[in-house]
Amino acid sequence: MLLIYGGKPAADAPIPRTGGVPLVPEGFVWPECRNCGGPMQFLAHLPLDIGTVAVFFCQNEPGMCDDWDAAAGANRAYLFSGDLTPASIPAEGETLLGAATALRLRPTDHPTEEPILGRLGGEPDWIQGDETPACLTCAAMTFTAELEEGHDFATSANFGGAGRGYVFSCQPCGEAAFLWQR
């Protein structure tokens, strides 16, 4: 399924979107970058059949932390299940995108002139080469979604210009991972 630009949703809408406020389970602790120690920026909310994926990456000092690497500690993806509520936003750091963008689903076999902001499922369209992360508990993770940089400057993820984000998950283990390439 393609992820098509779907307008500006409420910041805490329980729909596929980039930006806004993450919806999280009770007791959630906002992720901090292992490189700089600052709070990460919330990037995407993806409710799926397997649960809800929430993606974060460090934007406190762009280019200084290894936010592109799935295992370096400057990004974090979560696979949530159950009841979710809006997170408390840290007072300091680059924690939110400038605005939220709804991601409307459209079958990949239906041509469109609308802005495509990513896709769910299938195989990753690697820019540099296969970097499928391993699940720390079992084996390789399953490709879940691709995210383009964004619809406009306010809603754009900083993937280094012309980059693409990759989301992976392991449903049996309840884990998720994120990385990006340029």
Side-chain angles (χ1 to χ4, degrees):
M1 296 295 276
L2 296 176
L3 298 172
I4 304 295
Y5 174 72
K8 297 183 183 215
D12 60 355
I15 61 170
R17 61 182 161 82
T18 59
V21 176
L23 300 178
V24 299
E26 186 176 332
F28 175 78
V29 176
W30 198 277
E32 293 181 347
C33 176
R34 196 166 54 210
N35 298 160
C36 74
M40 292 186 194
Q41 183 178 72
F42 173 64
L43 176 60
H45 174 83
L46 302 170
L48 306 167
D49 292 341
I50 61 170
T52 298
V53 177
V55 180
F56 297 78
F57 73 142
C58 184
Q59 290 297 287
N60 293 303
E61 299 178 46
M64 300 306 293
C65 300
D66 297 336
D67 62 334
W68 58 87
D69 186 327
N75 69 50
R76 184 75 168 92
Y78 297 90
L79 180 58
F80 297 137
S81 60
D83 293 332
L84 304 177
T85 59
S88 296
I89 310 300
E92 303 291 323
E94 295 294 324
T95 57
L96 301 177
L97 290 175
T101 298
L103 301 172
R104 192 166 37 87
L105 302 179
R106 182 178 182 99
T108 54
D109 59 352
H110 289 91
T112 182
E113 296 295 319
E114 298 172 285
I116 298 172
L117 301 179
R119 122 183 114 74
L120 296 176
E123 295 295 322
D125 185 14
W126 296 108
I127 294 174
Q128 296 179 4
D130 189 339
E131 292 186 58
T132 301
C135 175
L136 298 176
T137 305
C138 61
M141 293 189 148
T142 301
F143 174 69
T144 304
E146 244 172 48
L147 300 170
E148 299 296 330
E149 284 199 342
H151 173 67
D152 57 26
F153 182 76
T155 63
S156 186
N158 182 7
F159 297 153
R164 184 177 301 136
Y166 304 90
V167 180
F168 290 82
S169 62
C170 180
Q171 184 179 6
C173 298
E175 296 293 330
F178 173 75
L179 64 109
W180 63 269
Q181 295 182 344
R182 172 178 75 132

